[in-house]
């Protein structure tokens, strides 16, 4: 199932892709719950769905209800703005050098342990929002990455149970002020500021529930700038795989529902400039598109 956060004028609601249409899932759940359950809090955004146990199964039931009562046409929405699939997670954790070819192109070997860092949550934007390029920066690069969305609190999780804590997947563009990052690395300063400018974390357009992605480690991943391919790889080449990443992170930090893990970018990093159109695509998830403007 592909879920998206939507806004139409001032109304926000969850959308779900169903038979090539977007349905207003918030309204669908409202109708479903008025008939079958009285106590549910109506979810307005995907974040609100995290409270529902066995979400995938629950949504299946709602879809059967919609179909059975011929509500598809009533619930179809045509005009809406797509919001980020998670608007304010408690944190974004990103992996560094998690594809060998990318580690090499930045002058490093494969790391022995996952390298993880944080991006400010205020850097999140959605599909078709603008990436604002501060004029005083000398180089900014996009980085396409498979994003993992956490579904429930996770602390000290063994690798074999780790996928139980995943809600689904999305696309993350880990936009980076590259010259700043390189200089900060040189003087042994953290990466945080170069990764955290406002608008430097486009995510979306969809959150695809994990049940729909048979193998997250076999997805083609690509980044295009003005239609030209810059990065092209497959998630099978991730050095550290998702269960290990979750297990490793949760030895240090508790992951909370809605948290986003960006699993690292493949090789092919190169600068962008104002006016560029960036498309980050992952098989089975979609295309996350953003235009760069000067700011
Ligand atoms: Mg990255």
């Amino acid at each position: 199932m592909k879920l998206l956060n939507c806004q139409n004028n001032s109304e926000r609601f969850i959308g779900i892709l169903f038979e090539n249409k977007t349905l207003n899932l918030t309204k669908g759940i409202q109708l479903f719950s008025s008939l079958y359950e009285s106590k549910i809090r109506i979810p307005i955004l995907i974040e609100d769905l995290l409270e529902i146990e066995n979400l995938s199964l629950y949504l299946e039931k709602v879809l059967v209800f919609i179909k059975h009562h011929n509500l598809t046409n009533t619930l179809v929405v045509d005009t809406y703005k797509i919001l980020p699939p998670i608007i304010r997670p408690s944190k974004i954790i990103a992996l560094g050098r998690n594809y060998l070819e990318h580690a090499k192109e930045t002058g490093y070997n494969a790391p022995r342990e996952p390298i993880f860092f944080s991006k400010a949550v205020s850097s999140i934007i959605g599909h078709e929002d603008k990436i604002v390029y501060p004029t005083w920066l000398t180089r900014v690069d996009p980085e396409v990455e498979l994003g993992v969305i956490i579904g429930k609190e996770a602390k000290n999780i063994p690798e074999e149970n780790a996928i139980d804590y995943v809600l689904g997947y999305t696309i993350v563009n880990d936009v980076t002020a590259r010259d700043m990052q390189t200089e900060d690395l040189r003087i042994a300063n953290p990466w945080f500021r170069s990764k955290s400018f406002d608008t430097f974390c486009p995510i979306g357009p969809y959150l695809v529930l994990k049940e729909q992605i048979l193998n997250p480690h076999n997805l083609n991943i690509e980044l295009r700038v003005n239609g030209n391919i810059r990065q092209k790889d497959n998630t099978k080449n991730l050095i550290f795989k998702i269960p290990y990443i979750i297990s490793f992170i949760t030895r240090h930090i508790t992951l909370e529902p809605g948290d986003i893990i960006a699993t690292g970018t493949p090789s092919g990093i190169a600068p962008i400039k104002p006016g560029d159109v960036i498309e980050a695509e992952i098989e089975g998830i979609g295309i996350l598109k953003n235009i760069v403007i000067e700011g």
Side-chain angles (χ1 to χ4, degrees):
M1 261 168 258
K2 286 189 175 181
L3 304 173
L4 59 162
N5 280 331
C6 306
Q7 181 155 344
N8 191 357
N9 297 318
S10 60
E11 188 202 358
R12 289 178 162 193
F13 56 92
I14 304 165
I16 187 165
L17 293 198
F18 183 64
E19 294 171 350
N20 296 320
K21 292 174 188 137
T22 304
L23 304 186
N24 185 328
L25 180 66
T26 295
K27 221 176 249 174
I29 290 177
Q30 213 160 16
L31 293 168
F32 176 74
S33 66
S34 65
L35 278 182
Y36 295 107
E37 319 161 60
S38 48
K39 283 182 208 132
I40 190 175
R41 190 166 72 93
I42 303 302
I44 306 297
L45 294 168
I46 293 171
E47 276 104 319
D48 304 326
L49 293 173
L50 293 164
E51 294 170 10
I52 299 173
E53 291 264 331
N54 295 323
L55 179 62
S56 186
L57 198 68
Y58 177 81
L59 295 180
E60 289 283 353
K61 281 192 212 162
V62 175
L63 287 177
V64 168
F65 164 83
I66 289 171
K67 228 176 163 173
H68 184 74
H69 290 268
N70 292 319
L71 291 168
T72 313
N73 288 339
T74 320
L75 297 176
V76 167
V77 276
D78 296 318
T79 30
Y80 54 87
K81 173 183 161 40
I82 300 181
L83 303 173
I86 300 288
I87 292 176
R88 277 293 159 121
S90 85
K91 51 196 164 297
I92 306 165
I93 295 185
L95 274 279
R97 301 174 203 144
N98 202 23
Y99 287 82
L100 180 60
E101 292 308 312
H102 170 64
K104 281 189 190 161
E105 77 180 340
T106 52
Y108 295 89
N109 294 321
R112 278 204 228 134
E113 292 195 320
I115 301 167
F116 66 83
F117 58 91
S118 184
K119 284 174 84 74
V121 294
S122 48
S123 64
I124 290 177
I125 57 169
H127 177 64
E128 293 196 331
D129 284 341
K130 309 265 190 303
I131 297 169
V132 179
Y133 189 134
T135 45
W136 57 279
L137 291 178
T138 48
R139 175 174 167 175
V140 172
D141 296 359
E143 297 183 353
V144 60
E145 309 196 6
L146 174 63
V148 177
I149 312 282
I150 295 299
K152 54 183 179 181
E153 190 176 295
K155 172 80 183 158
N156 285 323
I157 304 303
E159 227 178 302
E160 51 278 21
N161 300 344
I163 294 295
D164 294 348
Y165 294 81
V166 172
L167 176 72
Y169 303 95
T170 192
I171 304 166
V172 176
N173 183 351
D174 175 20
V175 181
T176 305
R178 188 69 67 200
D179 282 344
M180 178 180 280
Q181 183 199 29
T182 307
E183 176 59 13
D184 282 342
L185 271 163
R186 194 184 65 79
I187 57 176
N189 277 355
W191 305 9
F192 186 63
R193 64 175 187 149
S194 61
K195 294 284 188 178
S196 293
F197 282 87
D198 291 352
T199 76
F200 274 26
C201 193
I203 60 170
Y206 308 113
L207 187 157
V208 183
L209 293 182
K210 68 175 172 196
E211 290 78 7
Q212 263 64 55
I213 304 270
L214 291 180
N215 181 4
H217 302 109
N218 190 21
L219 304 173
N220 290 319
I221 178 166
E222 183 172 303
L223 183 121
R224 297 182 292 276
V225 176
N226 305 324
N228 303 312
I229 297 171
R230 285 266 188 90
Q231 297 181 284
K232 191 178 176 64
D233 209 318
N234 186 288
T235 56
K236 69 179 179 214
N237 293 318
L238 282 168
I239 296 171
F240 300 107
K241 306 291 194 257
I242 295 159
Y244 186 77
I245 293 170
I246 291 173
S247 169
F248 187 84
I249 292 173
T250 63
R251 256 184 258 166
H252 304 74
I253 303 173
T254 299
L255 290 171
E256 297 176 71
D259 281 355
I260 301 169
I261 302 171
T263 54
T265 204
S267 62
I269 51 165
I272 49 174
K273 57 183 189 319
D276 285 347
V277 179
I278 318 298
E279 288 171 295
E281 179 166 8
I282 299 180
E283 186 184 358
I285 303 179
I287 300 174
L288 170 66
K289 181 176 160 185
N290 299 91
I291 292 172
V292 187
I293 59 164
E294 202 174 286

